[in-house]
Amino acid sequence: MSDSDTSAASGDSPGGATNPSPQSDRQDDLVDGVPPTPEAAAAVFGEHLPRAEEFVRVLADTGITHGLIGPREAPRLWDRHVLNCALVHFLIPADARGQRVIDIGSGAGLPGLALAIARPDLELHLVEPLSRRTGWLSGVTAQLDLDNVVIHTARAESMWDRLTAPWVTARAVSGIVQLAQWTLPLLSPRGSLLALKGSRAADELAEHRAALQRLGVRHADVESVGEGMVPDPTIVLRVTIGEAIDRRLFRTMTSSSAGSARRRTDRPRGGRSTGSSPREQRRRPR
């Protein structure tokens, strides 16, 4: 998701802080336009840190020139964006069989690509309705040699009958009720939506808890991830469904630009999927 869309949708910085730290705002910290790697990055990414550093370099370059990240966000790429998103992986337990995650409104690969880098055991499906963005995501996925990512040019509701997962993630994509309407049909039984929110997450949940329950949510809470690791922990609103939800209820709701809080002229009418990861694409005969 682009910085301008993130700010408009959340009303806060993604980590929940109302003001970015002065240190992260210093332009003289940049080296060739790229912010230095903070100490916390090693704890978050472990042995995958070099790939995360390459991702930050890409964001500082084509991420900005393609309009996915605002130019003023360059000094804050680590703390406000990449680390903020990658911390979510601590909420997804490891599974010997691997786990699928659907990231809605992926934009600049936040949180989708950050999670794919931090957790190679996860199968990430990035759902983004804007073709110019999925084109960029495909290029970056290949550049980073990520073979656990599949990219879909689609709206979330167009994927309801095509894709399910125990985890759905979204960052600064609309309010929680609208987001739930778009994403709950993507969840497998007892699955959870992890919505990255700002400091008002608890107030938003308190205001809309009843509406979420009517949609089939069985449990909802606000969690803080990264305490003691980063200055501004990531605030996540987690909503979990039961064994099943009434899909008929969702099909009667007005369709919207699901998967993105934005409307753009280059959004496709339906949805299409690349249907393959970079590894599978390399195996195809030419």
Side-chain angles (χ1 to χ4, degrees):
M1 175 162 294
S2 70
D3 172 62
S4 58
D5 294 325
T6 298
S7 299
S10 68
D12 288 299
S13 69
T18 56
N19 295 302
S21 63
Q23 180 178 1
S24 65
D25 259 347
R26 290 203 314 242
Q27 292 290 339
D28 56 3
D29 281 344
L30 301 180
V31 178
D32 294 328
V34 181
T37 303
E39 292 184 6
V44 175
F45 287 99
E47 63 182 310
H48 310 297
L49 179 58
R51 186 170 279 166
E53 291 176 319
E54 177 63 19
F55 181 39
V56 170
R57 285 191 287 270
V58 173
L59 288 173
D61 184 10
T62 61
I64 291 177
T65 59
H66 282 63
L68 299 173
I69 294 290
R72 290 179 297 179
E73 293 302 298
R76 303 183 287 195
L77 284 174
W78 276 111
D79 56 354
R80 188 179 185 188
H81 297 286
V82 175
L83 287 179
N84 177 266
C85 290
L87 282 167
V88 176
H89 87 78
F90 290 111
L91 298 179
I92 303 175
D95 189 313
R97 298 168 298 175
Q99 294 200 67
R100 174 180 289 178
V101 179
I102 303 173
D103 183 45
I104 298 300
S106 298
L110 301 167
L113 290 185
L115 291 175
I117 294 169
R119 293 282 298 278
D121 61 307
L122 299 178
E123 175 189 329
L124 268 296
H125 287 257
L126 276 54
V127 179
E128 164 61 50
L130 304 183
S131 58
R132 64 182 177 85
R133 295 185 176 185
T134 54
W136 182 86
L137 287 168
S138 296
V140 175
T141 298
Q143 180 177 342
L144 298 179
D145 196 27
L146 293 170
D147 58 14
N148 60 334
V149 176
V150 181
I151 298 167
H152 306 267
T153 304
R155 296 172 298 171
E157 79 273 19
S158 71
M159 304 297 292
W160 288 354
D161 297 319
R162 300 162 54 190
L163 194 64
T164 60
W167 305 95
V168 172
T169 58
R171 184 189 194 224
V173 178
S174 192
I176 191 59
V177 175
Q178 179 68 85
L179 181 59
Q181 291 173 353
W182 291 337
T183 61
L184 295 190
L186 294 169
L187 289 171
S188 51
R190 301 178 302 281
S192 295
L193 162 65
L194 303 177
L196 282 72
K197 291 285 184 175
S199 58
R200 293 194 65 257
D203 293 336
E204 185 176 2
L205 176 57
E207 181 179 354
H208 299 295
R209 187 181 293 275
L212 291 173
Q213 292 173 343
R214 289 193 292 269
L215 291 175
V217 172
R218 292 293 174 263
H219 181 73
D221 61 5
V222 175
E223 301 185 35
S224 178
V225 192
E227 297 278 358
M229 296 178 66
V230 295
D232 297 315
T234 301
I235 307 300
V236 176
L237 204 169
R238 183 204 294 246
V239 298
T240 303
I241 64 172
E243 291 295 330
I245 57 173
D246 186 356
R247 288 176 174 267
R248 295 172 299 177
L249 174 64
F250 292 85
R251 296 188 190 283
T252 61
M253 295 176 181
T254 303
S255 179
S256 184
S257 53
S260 172
R262 309 163 306 270
R263 288 188 176 272
R264 296 289 189 271
T265 56
D266 59 344
R267 188 185 67 211
R269 290 182 179 274
R272 64 177 177 84
S273 167
T274 62
S276 63
S277 68
R279 173 182 292 176
E280 292 168 333
Q281 291 170 0
R282 289 194 290 269
R283 290 176 179 169
R284 291 178 178 173
R286 295 184 179 275

